[in-house]
Structure formats: C-alpha cells, structure tokens
Amino acid sequence: FFQAEDGIRDDLVTGVQTCALPICHGIDLGYESDVSAAWVRGHDFLLREMLANLIDNALRYTPRGGSVTVSLERDHEQACVSVEDSGPGIAPQERELVFERFYRVLGSNIDGSGLGLPIVREIARRHGAEVGISDGRGQQGTRFSVFFPLFQPQPIQTNQSAASADPGTESPAPSRQGL
C-alpha cells in the first residue's frame, strides 16, 4: 500500500529534490496539504515514478523565479495529488495531445522525449486513477491532478481478539499485504 502523503513528502525531501537540483535552481519547490493521510492501493515504485515525472515536467517548464507546488487533497471517495507550476501553461487544444507518446509542444525548446506524460497516464490508469489538466492559479501555468479512489485499510485482527470472538476456532496469524 502507498500512503500518498508520505510518498509525496518522501519524494520531495529525498529522491525528487536530489534528482531535480540541477534543473530546479531558482525555482521554489513546495508542498501543501491540510490532509493528515490519504491511502491509495498501488505499486509504490510506479506511483513514485508517476509523481517524479509530473514534478520533473513542472520544473523543466517553469522559468527561473517561478514555483512548483505539490499538493494533496482528500474527500470521502478520492484522493487528489496535484502538481502545479507557474510556467507558460498548455493551450486547451493541446491538453489531450500531451498524453500521446513522443508528442512535444511546438516552440517549447525544452529537452525531453515526450514520454513522461504518457507514462503518468498509464500508471494512473493501472491504479484506477484519472489525470486532469487545468490552468494554474491566476490562469498562469499548468496544474496536473491525479484522482485516486481511496483505499480503506482494514484493522488487523489478532489471534487474541479472534479467540475472544469465537473461542472454538483458531485464526491464522495476522498479515497485511500490499502491492
């Protein structure tokens, strides 16, 4: 299981900041959330790769002095991880095209293969999530939002609590498996 908030913070504090330092110079990279935790079921490595791709894209397209903000929101049905930048934005007519393999926005002059966002969408799809694109705050930049169905972890039942519930049966040792 992947706890979205911890995954975001881990990536920001360790892996992503370390990897992003060469391209992040002069860009404010931040994290915002009023949520204590949001559980989603999924593959830890793939979810981190998805988040790293979104942050890397945002950093590449944000000019010096700009900002990139990662945020986590949650309601009763879903968790939303967003990466928002203050770069040039993506025109509405190109928003669906950026998810096609090898597609590059003309005139961007940014290095890349055009594979990052298709990978993001595929990882999201494999986790039952959807990716949305909108304008950033004040109609500047781009906001990528990934909407995940929430996972509700079940409490682990111990042998003692199982025995007290039905003394005539023996239950297996508790376990929690994740992907």
Side-chain angles (χ1 to χ4, degrees):
F1 301 109
F2 176 81
Q3 187 173 3
E5 181 185 22
D6 289 345
I8 291 169
R9 285 187 178 156
D10 287 350
D11 281 345
L12 281 173
V13 173
T14 56
V16 173
Q17 276 190 336
T18 302
C19 295
L21 282 176
I23 63 171
C24 168
H25 187 71
I27 297 172
D28 177 26
L29 177 60
Y31 173 78
E32 296 177 352
S33 181
D34 292 331
V35 177
S36 62
W39 288 84
V40 298
R41 180 174 229 156
H43 190 280
D44 185 55
F45 173 79
L46 291 177
L47 293 170
R48 289 179 192 279
E49 184 68 21
M50 181 191 71
L51 185 59
N53 274 331
L54 288 171
I55 294 170
D56 180 69
N57 260 21
L59 290 170
R60 288 181 189 280
Y61 284 90
T62 299
R64 182 181 208 86
S67 64
V68 172
T69 303
V70 179
S71 62
L72 173 66
E73 299 172 70
R74 180 188 73 202
D75 64 21
H76 296 292
E77 297 177 8
Q78 63 185 4
C80 177
V81 177
S82 296
V83 177
E84 182 176 340
D85 66 57
S86 61
I90 300 173
Q93 65 271 19
E94 294 198 60
R95 290 182 181 170
E96 195 57 35
L97 296 173
V98 298
F99 291 110
E100 293 181 13
R101 292 181 307 166
F102 305 111
Y103 181 81
R104 307 283 295 138
V105 175
L106 291 177
S108 66
N109 297 323
I110 304 294
D111 289 337
S113 64
L115 292 173
L117 292 174
I119 289 170
V120 165
R121 180 175 263 178
E122 180 61 22
I123 291 171
R125 186 190 66 76
R126 289 179 182 222
H127 289 84
E130 293 182 22
V131 181
I133 306 176
S134 60
D135 291 332
R137 295 176 190 151
Q139 304 298 309
Q140 181 183 356
T142 305
R143 179 181 176 104
F144 283 88
S145 299
V146 186
F147 300 92
F148 292 93
L150 282 179
F151 171 73
Q152 300 297 330
Q154 299 299 315
I156 298 174
Q157 189 174 22
T158 64
N159 284 339
Q160 184 178 8
S161 63
S164 65
D166 185 0
T169 62
E170 188 172 319
S171 61
S175 68
R176 181 177 283 177
Q177 296 179 334
L179 301 175

mmCIF file with all atom_site columns, all heavy atoms in Angstrom, residues 24 40 56 106 118 125 130 138 141 146 173-174:
data_model
loop_
_atom_site.group_PDB
_atom_site.id
_atom_site.type_symbol
_atom_site.label_atom_id
_atom_site.label_alt_id
_atom_site.label_comp_id
_atom_site.label_asym_id
_atom_site.label_entity_id
_atom_site.label_seq_id
_atom_site.pdbx_PDB_ins_code
_atom_site.Cartn_x
_atom_site.Cartn_y
_atom_site.Cartn_z
_atom_site.occupancy
_atom_site.B_iso_or_equiv
_atom_site.pdbx_formal_charge
_atom_site.auth_seq_id
_atom_site.auth_comp_id
_atom_site.auth_asym_id
_atom_site.auth_atom_id
_atom_site.pdbx_PDB_model_num
ATOM 1  N N   . CYS A 1 24  ? 16.341  22.648  -10.957 1.00 0.00 ? 24  CYS A N   1
ATOM 2  C CA  . CYS A 1 24  ? 15.457  23.355  -10.043 1.00 0.00 ? 24  CYS A CA  1
ATOM 3  C C   . CYS A 1 24  ? 16.048  24.677  -9.561  1.00 0.00 ? 24  CYS A C   1
ATOM 4  O O   . CYS A 1 24  ? 15.398  25.405  -8.847  1.00 0.00 ? 24  CYS A O   1
ATOM 5  C CB  . CYS A 1 24  ? 15.162  22.414  -8.879  1.00 0.00 ? 24  CYS A CB  1
ATOM 6  S SG  . CYS A 1 24  ? 14.373  23.097  -7.457  1.00 0.00 ? 24  CYS A SG  1
ATOM 7  N N   . VAL A 1 40  ? -4.014  5.056   -0.848  1.00 0.00 ? 40  VAL A N   1
ATOM 8  C CA  . VAL A 1 40  ? -4.423  4.534   -2.139  1.00 0.00 ? 40  VAL A CA  1
ATOM 9  C C   . VAL A 1 40  ? -3.744  3.185   -2.310  1.00 0.00 ? 40  VAL A C   1
ATOM 10 O O   . VAL A 1 40  ? -2.649  2.960   -1.800  1.00 0.00 ? 40  VAL A O   1
ATOM 11 C CB  . VAL A 1 40  ? -4.062  5.483   -3.306  1.00 0.00 ? 40  VAL A CB  1
ATOM 12 C CG1 . VAL A 1 40  ? -4.790  6.807   -3.155  1.00 0.00 ? 40  VAL A CG1 1
ATOM 13 C CG2 . VAL A 1 40  ? -2.579  5.710   -3.427  1.00 0.00 ? 40  VAL A CG2 1
ATOM 14 N N   . ASP A 1 56  ? 9.173   16.570  -12.437 1.00 0.00 ? 56  ASP A N   1
ATOM 15 C CA  . ASP A 1 56  ? 10.243  16.855  -13.386 1.00 0.00 ? 56  ASP A CA  1
ATOM 16 C C   . ASP A 1 56  ? 9.727   17.742  -14.523 1.00 0.00 ? 56  ASP A C   1
ATOM 17 O O   . ASP A 1 56  ? 10.370  18.730  -14.897 1.00 0.00 ? 56  ASP A O   1
ATOM 18 C CB  . ASP A 1 56  ? 10.812  15.547  -13.941 1.00 0.00 ? 56  ASP A CB  1
ATOM 19 C CG  . ASP A 1 56  ? 11.930  15.798  -14.925 1.00 0.00 ? 56  ASP A CG  1
ATOM 20 O OD1 . ASP A 1 56  ? 13.013  16.253  -14.503 1.00 0.00 ? 56  ASP A OD1 1
ATOM 21 O OD2 . ASP A 1 56  ? 11.719  15.548  -16.135 1.00 0.00 ? 56  ASP A OD2 1
ATOM 22 N N   . LEU A 1 106 ? 5.123   22.430  -29.682 1.00 0.00 ? 106 LEU A N   1
ATOM 23 C CA  . LEU A 1 106 ? 5.994   23.200  -30.568 1.00 0.00 ? 106 LEU A CA  1
ATOM 24 C C   . LEU A 1 106 ? 6.415   24.512  -29.918 1.00 0.00 ? 106 LEU A C   1
ATOM 25 O O   . LEU A 1 106 ? 5.622   25.172  -29.247 1.00 0.00 ? 106 LEU A O   1
ATOM 26 C CB  . LEU A 1 106 ? 5.285   23.490  -31.887 1.00 0.00 ? 106 LEU A CB  1
ATOM 27 C CG  . LEU A 1 106 ? 5.035   22.277  -32.790 1.00 0.00 ? 106 LEU A CG  1
ATOM 28 C CD1 . LEU A 1 106 ? 4.255   22.687  -34.025 1.00 0.00 ? 106 LEU A CD1 1
ATOM 29 C CD2 . LEU A 1 106 ? 6.341   21.614  -33.180 1.00 0.00 ? 106 LEU A CD2 1
ATOM 30 N N   . PRO A 1 118 ? 2.663   10.406  -21.102 1.00 0.00 ? 118 PRO A N   1
ATOM 31 C CA  . PRO A 1 118 ? 2.013   9.124   -21.395 1.00 0.00 ? 118 PRO A CA  1
ATOM 32 C C   . PRO A 1 118 ? 2.274   8.080   -20.301 1.00 0.00 ? 118 PRO A C   1
ATOM 33 O O   . PRO A 1 118 ? 1.389   7.292   -19.965 1.00 0.00 ? 118 PRO A O   1
ATOM 34 C CB  . PRO A 1 118 ? 2.632   8.697   -22.732 1.00 0.00 ? 118 PRO A CB  1
ATOM 35 C CG  . PRO A 1 118 ? 3.014   9.990   -23.382 1.00 0.00 ? 118 PRO A CG  1
ATOM 36 C CD  . PRO A 1 118 ? 3.467   10.868  -22.233 1.00 0.00 ? 118 PRO A CD  1
ATOM 37 N N   . ARG A 1 125 ? -3.874  5.053   -14.828 1.00 0.00 ? 125 ARG A N   1
ATOM 38 C CA  . ARG A 1 125 ? -4.914  4.130   -15.305 1.00 0.00 ? 125 ARG A CA  1
ATOM 39 C C   . ARG A 1 125 ? -4.803  2.765   -14.621 1.00 0.00 ? 125 ARG A C   1
ATOM 40 O O   . ARG A 1 125 ? -5.799  2.194   -14.190 1.00 0.00 ? 125 ARG A O   1
ATOM 41 C CB  . ARG A 1 125 ? -4.809  3.967   -16.824 1.00 0.00 ? 125 ARG A CB  1
ATOM 42 C CG  . ARG A 1 125 ? -5.936  3.130   -17.434 1.00 0.00 ? 125 ARG A CG  1
ATOM 43 C CD  . ARG A 1 125 ? -5.672  2.794   -18.890 1.00 0.00 ? 125 ARG A CD  1
ATOM 44 N NE  . ARG A 1 125 ? -4.521  1.905   -19.069 1.00 0.00 ? 125 ARG A NE  1
ATOM 45 C CZ  . ARG A 1 125 ? -4.518  0.589   -18.815 1.00 0.00 ? 125 ARG A CZ  1
ATOM 46 N NH1 . ARG A 1 125 ? -5.598  0.006   -18.365 1.00 0.00 ? 125 ARG A NH1 1
ATOM 47 N NH2 . ARG A 1 125 ? -3.435  -0.132  -19.004 1.00 0.00 ? 125 ARG A NH2 1
ATOM 48 N N   . GLU A 1 130 ? -7.532  8.842   -12.525 1.00 0.00 ? 130 GLU A N   1
ATOM 49 C CA  . GLU A 1 130 ? -7.680  9.667   -13.723 1.00 0.00 ? 130 GLU A CA  1
ATOM 50 C C   . GLU A 1 130 ? -6.792  10.896  -13.583 1.00 0.00 ? 130 GLU A C   1
ATOM 51 O O   . GLU A 1 130 ? -6.625  11.435  -12.494 1.00 0.00 ? 130 GLU A O   1
ATOM 52 C CB  . GLU A 1 130 ? -9.130  10.111  -13.888 1.00 0.00 ? 130 GLU A CB  1
ATOM 53 C CG  . GLU A 1 130 ? -10.076 8.965   -14.185 1.00 0.00 ? 130 GLU A CG  1
ATOM 54 C CD  . GLU A 1 130 ? -11.500 9.442   -14.393 1.00 0.00 ? 130 GLU A CD  1
ATOM 55 O OE1 . GLU A 1 130 ? -11.703 10.629  -14.719 1.00 0.00 ? 130 GLU A OE1 1
ATOM 56 O OE2 . GLU A 1 130 ? -12.398 8.611   -14.227 1.00 0.00 ? 130 GLU A OE2 1
ATOM 57 N N   . GLY A 1 138 ? -4.519  31.789  -11.031 1.00 0.00 ? 138 GLY A N   1
ATOM 58 C CA  . GLY A 1 138 ? -4.488  33.045  -11.772 1.00 0.00 ? 138 GLY A CA  1
ATOM 59 C C   . GLY A 1 138 ? -4.373  32.843  -13.272 1.00 0.00 ? 138 GLY A C   1
ATOM 60 O O   . GLY A 1 138 ? -3.844  33.710  -13.967 1.00 0.00 ? 138 GLY A O   1
ATOM 61 N N   . GLY A 1 141 ? 0.357   29.074  -15.848 1.00 0.00 ? 141 GLY A N   1
ATOM 62 C CA  . GLY A 1 141 ? 0.951   27.770  -15.617 1.00 0.00 ? 141 GLY A CA  1
ATOM 63 C C   . GLY A 1 141 ? -0.028  26.638  -15.860 1.00 0.00 ? 141 GLY A C   1
ATOM 64 O O   . GLY A 1 141 ? -1.085  26.822  -16.470 1.00 0.00 ? 141 GLY A O   1
ATOM 65 N N   . VAL A 1 146 ? -4.148  14.167  -10.261 1.00 0.00 ? 146 VAL A N   1
ATOM 66 C CA  . VAL A 1 146 ? -4.392  12.735  -10.386 1.00 0.00 ? 146 VAL A CA  1
ATOM 67 C C   . VAL A 1 146 ? -5.375  12.350  -9.292  1.00 0.00 ? 146 VAL A C   1
ATOM 68 O O   . VAL A 1 146 ? -5.093  12.530  -8.106  1.00 0.00 ? 146 VAL A O   1
ATOM 69 C CB  . VAL A 1 146 ? -3.092  11.909  -10.266 1.00 0.00 ? 146 VAL A CB  1
ATOM 70 C CG1 . VAL A 1 146 ? -3.374  10.445  -10.546 1.00 0.00 ? 146 VAL A CG1 1
ATOM 71 C CG2 . VAL A 1 146 ? -2.018  12.452  -11.222 1.00 0.00 ? 146 VAL A CG2 1
ATOM 72 N N   . ALA A 1 173 ? -2.308  -16.267 11.796  1.00 0.00 ? 173 ALA A N   1
ATOM 73 C CA  . ALA A 1 173 ? -1.565  -15.089 12.252  1.00 0.00 ? 173 ALA A CA  1
ATOM 74 C C   . ALA A 1 173 ? -1.951  -13.880 11.405  1.00 0.00 ? 173 ALA A C   1
ATOM 75 O O   . ALA A 1 173 ? -2.257  -14.017 10.230  1.00 0.00 ? 173 ALA A O   1
ATOM 76 C CB  . ALA A 1 173 ? -0.064  -15.350 12.126  1.00 0.00 ? 173 ALA A CB  1
ATOM 77 N N   . PRO A 1 174 ? -1.978  -12.694 12.012  1.00 0.00 ? 174 PRO A N   1
ATOM 78 C CA  . PRO A 1 174 ? -2.365  -11.505 11.260  1.00 0.00 ? 174 PRO A CA  1
ATOM 79 C C   . PRO A 1 174 ? -1.356  -11.173 10.165  1.00 0.00 ? 174 PRO A C   1
ATOM 80 O O   . PRO A 1 174 ? -0.177  -11.427 10.312  1.00 0.00 ? 174 PRO A O   1
ATOM 81 C CB  . PRO A 1 174 ? -2.399  -10.406 12.309  1.00 0.00 ? 174 PRO A CB  1
ATOM 82 C CG  . PRO A 1 174 ? -1.510  -10.879 13.394  1.00 0.00 ? 174 PRO A CG  1
ATOM 83 C CD  . PRO A 1 174 ? -1.603  -12.387 13.375  1.00 0.00 ? 174 PRO A CD  1
#
